[in-house]
Amino acid sequence: MNEHQMLGYIPDNTMIHKLNGTAKLIFLILLSVACMTTYDTRFLIGMTVFSLVLFELSNIKWHQISFVVKFIFVFSLLNIIAVYLFAPEYGVDLYQSRTLIWEGLGRFTITQEQLFYEFNLVLKYFCTIPLVLIFLLTTNPSEFASSLNRIGVSYKISYAVALAIRYIPDIQEDFFNISLAQQARGFEMSKKGKLIQRLKGTAQIVFPLILSSLDRIETISTAMELRRFGEKKKRTWYAQRPFHASDFLVIGLAVLLTVISFALFKVNGGRFYNPFS
């Protein structure tokens, strides 16, 4: 199952796994805000390197996230292309200069300013996506639920989110088991098969799997109602961890980086670092 893992908790003994779930959640939220609000290229490059270092420390293997990364890459590429198609000289308006690289066709020119702007967009993906994957793959779903509850989210919503994350690996495991069973019956769904055949086979698996998942959700909901879930205003958490010095250090680091991000607004005179001025 680990070879096909997708957004599922992977137990390990790394320093990141040992951190408190609440501390990791606060760290993720603060740095995501810092990276998404600023367009300072220097800060984004530094955060990209930092995120990749954390990714290495978390001991996450490529085969465990390859499908998700490829999926995100396709949509990120489509987003970058769409930005250019709808506003090919948006960077020119932002940086108030125009350094032409290629005249292009009609309004579709290529300028240094536009490429620099889209380079910043790519850096934002490299800053935030590793952080999200690290959090999801190193945090127990039950601890994630308790983390949401500790920062003020209703425990009902927290529990629902945790259940969704918990059952993603289970549903994926069912998918691959059915896929292997189909291949054992002679229906080729591996990379050796034709694309149309693989898509058709996937569709034949996905729809019944969705229906069976809905049945599973109904069973769980009924069981929770029978146990009077949601009657009390508060609840205790089995997987909740106490805070240690390392957790406060992580939160402090996140606050510091966020403050630096917002301080750069004043240095740059806004959200954008302008090397063309």
Side-chain angles (χ1 to χ4, degrees):
M1 178 57 196
N2 286 338
E3 294 181 359
H4 306 289
Q5 187 91 24
M6 181 178 72
L7 296 183
Y9 171 59
I10 303 174
D12 207 332
N13 199 36
T14 68
M15 57 179 293
I16 296 179
H17 283 78
K18 294 178 181 178
L19 291 172
N20 183 286
T22 304
K24 287 190 281 189
L25 181 60
I26 294 173
F27 184 85
L28 172 64
I29 293 173
L30 289 178
L31 291 192
S32 295
V33 170
C35 291
M36 298 310 294
T37 53
T38 186
Y39 278 85
D40 189 295
T41 311
R42 300 161 297 181
F43 180 81
L44 292 176
I45 291 176
M47 284 303 305
T48 297
V49 175
F50 181 56
S51 297
L52 295 177
V53 170
L54 291 179
F55 197 83
E56 182 67 23
L57 292 176
S58 64
N59 198 29
I60 298 173
K61 307 302 181 184
W62 169 249
H63 64 77
Q64 296 168 331
I65 59 165
S66 59
F67 177 81
V68 178
V69 172
K70 291 174 184 177
F71 185 80
I72 295 173
F73 173 78
V74 171
F75 280 91
S76 301
L77 181 62
L78 290 175
N79 180 58
I80 295 297
I81 294 173
V83 168
Y84 175 77
L85 292 178
F86 284 102
E89 291 203 356
Y90 184 65
V92 174
D93 297 331
L94 283 177
Y95 300 112
Q96 296 297 308
S97 67
R98 189 172 189 271
T99 308
L100 189 66
I101 297 177
W102 183 55
E103 186 63 36
L105 300 173
R107 69 188 188 95
F108 294 106
T109 59
I110 297 179
T111 61
Q112 290 185 12
E113 290 77 7
Q114 182 67 21
L115 292 179
F116 185 71
Y117 169 70
E118 300 209 7
F119 174 66
N120 285 322
L121 293 180
V122 172
L123 286 177
K124 287 178 179 289
Y125 297 136
F126 280 103
C127 288
T128 54
I129 291 174
L131 295 177
V132 173
L133 291 176
I134 289 170
F135 178 77
L136 291 176
L137 273 66
T138 63
T139 308
N140 186 293
S142 297
E143 189 178 352
F144 181 28
S146 68
S147 303
L148 289 174
N149 188 229
R150 291 182 75 173
I151 64 173
V153 179
S154 167
Y155 76 83
K156 299 177 184 179
I157 298 176
S158 303
Y159 204 81
V161 173
L163 281 177
I165 295 175
R166 184 186 298 277
Y167 281 107
I168 287 176
D170 293 339
I171 293 173
Q172 188 180 2
E173 184 176 14
D174 291 341
F175 175 85
F176 283 109
N177 288 337
I178 296 172
S179 174
L180 292 175
Q182 290 284 75
Q183 293 181 58
R185 293 183 178 93
F187 193 93
E188 186 58 66
M189 293 186 60
S190 65
K191 295 180 179 180
K192 299 178 181 179
K194 296 181 180 179
L195 179 60
I196 300 298
Q197 185 180 15
R198 290 163 58 189
L199 291 175
K200 182 180 178 181
T202 301
Q204 291 175 345
I205 296 175
V206 168
F207 291 113
L209 193 58
I210 292 174
L211 295 176
S212 65
S213 300
L214 293 175
D215 291 337
R216 183 182 299 180
I217 291 171
E218 185 177 357
T219 302
I220 295 172
S221 300
T222 303
M224 293 173 68
E225 288 178 4
L226 291 173
R227 289 168 174 78
R228 304 176 73 179
F229 178 83
E231 182 182 2
K232 304 294 183 179
K233 292 184 178 180
K234 294 183 179 180
R235 65 161 292 167
T236 56
W237 297 94
Y238 176 77
Q240 187 171 337
R241 292 189 186 186
F243 278 94
H244 296 95
S246 57
D247 300 311
F248 291 109
L249 181 63
V250 166
I251 295 174
L253 178 60
V255 172
L256 176 62
L257 292 173
T258 305
V259 170
I260 292 174
S261 172
F262 285 104
L264 289 173
F265 286 15
K266 184 175 182 180
V267 174
N268 298 327
R271 296 168 59 199
F272 296 88
Y273 165 65
N274 189 355
F276 303 99
S277 59

